[in-house]
Amino acid sequence: MGKKVTVVGAGFYGSTTAQRLAEYDIFETVVLTDIIEGKPQGIALDLGQSRAIEGFETKIVGVSTGPNGEGYEAIADSDVVVITAGLPRKPGMSRMDLLGVNAKIVRQVSQNIAKYAPDAVIIVVSNPLDEMTALTQIATGFPKQRVIGQAGVLDTARFTTFVADALGVPVRSVKTMTLGSHGETMVPVPSQCTVDGKPLAELMSAEKIDELVTRTRNGGAEIVGLLKTGSAYYAPSAAAARMAKAVAEDAGEVMPVCTWVSGEYGCSGVYLGVQAEIGAEGVRRVVETPLTAAESAALREAAEAVRSKQADVFDL
Ligand code: APR
């Protein structure tokens, strides 16, 4: 049977994710859902009509859903479900300002996914990311490795772009790493960053690296400030779609993701941004890399910062 992926939420993030997934041409079906009547159907029709031009065959289905599971039959047998439902930030808001409102949306979406696509791997992108990922696992009751959050692929892509632009080198020459949370306690890991294999610290001053790290940490807010009416979605959707592809292809690719840690880096019992090997069952294993003492300490601090918020998230 061909692969099936569902994208919940047909806003900017969801519709661009659906487009990227469809254009990979590796899925038999992409299902796009939203609570708004007509929006997912319209986007699905439009996207489907691009097939003859772009040359892909993926079938795209748009479905409206209700709070009590109405419409959710369409997601049955999905191999992967990407949750993008929820409000985006407005200028001046932090991701945490979305906690209450998005928790209600994500909890209800998760309960319906558990009922209608009980074997899916879920990729969460709704913000605040670390909390919404933890909530999705609690609300679905899925094994922890089957619920993954998207943050690190995007954060590293931003960091990589800033480094490449600053040095005037192709983005493909640059490897960066960010761990921790998708927010204040994001932990960029300069010791693991290289340009054509050379340590970043040999090519850039510590001050310049710090400046790019700060810009990375505020990468989302910078775009929200410019757009004024929503948040970023081109790079975010590229990140989520790549993760869904790694699951669908059982790729074993190592990516920075938000996953459950059990002792890695001295952190346990919390959803945290770390590198992990991604396959058909979600996270196969967390991949640890050597960190400097300062980077390790920052990662443990990030774990503590998200732990308390994740603990209360189901009751919001
Ligand atoms: N089920 C399905 N879709 C829903 C639900 C629900 N219960 N509740 C809201 N939605 C839909 C909205 O109708 C809207 O179409 O989610 C969509 C959100 O789209 P946008 O407002 O365009 O937001 P977007 O930029 O796509 O961001 C979505 O991703 O990056 C995060 O912070 C961002 O939490 C936000 C999410």
Side-chain angles (χ1 to χ4, degrees), residues 11-13 34-36 39 84-88 102 105 108-109 127:
F12 287 110
Y13 201 146
D34 204 288
I35 46 169
I36 301 178
K39 188 177 182 185
T84 79
L87 265 55
N102 281 355
I105 294 172
Q108 177 247 307
V109 166
N127 275 312

Side-chain angles (χ1 to χ4, degrees), residues 8-15 33-36 39 65 67 72 83-89 95 98 102 104-106 108-109 125-128 182 230-233 236:
V8 179
F12 287 110
Y13 201 146
S15 56
T33 76
D34 204 288
I35 46 169
I36 301 178
K39 188 177 182 185
T65 56
Y72 269 89
I83 305 182
T84 79
L87 265 55
R89 283 191 277 176
R95 292 187 180 92
L98 300 168
N102 281 355
K104 288 190 180 61
I105 294 172
V106 168
Q108 177 247 307
V109 166
V125 313
S126 308
N127 275 312
H182 190 45
S231 53
Y233 52 95

Side-chain angles (χ1 to χ4, degrees), residues 21-22 25-30 51 56-60:
L21 291 168
D25 210 11
I26 59 164
F27 293 95
E28 184 169 308
T29 313
V30 174
R51 288 184 300 171
F56 63 93
E57 294 295 338
T58 311
K59 192 169 141 208
I60 304 136

Side-chain angles (χ1 to χ4, degrees), residues 95-115:
R95 292 187 180 92
M96 284 311 280
D97 295 334
L98 300 168
L99 186 62
V101 59
N102 281 355
K104 288 190 180 61
I105 294 172
V106 168
R107 185 172 51 229
Q108 177 247 307
V109 166
S110 300
Q111 286 164 342
N112 284 317
I113 295 170
K115 196 160 158 203

Side-chain angles (χ1 to χ4, degrees), residues 45-74:
L45 255 184
D46 189 9
L47 252 180
Q49 290 164 5
S50 75
R51 288 184 300 171
I53 307 166
E54 285 294 325
F56 63 93
E57 294 295 338
T58 311
K59 192 169 141 208
I60 304 136
V61 182
V63 182
S64 301
T65 56
N68 300 313
E70 300 87 345
Y72 269 89
E73 321 76 63

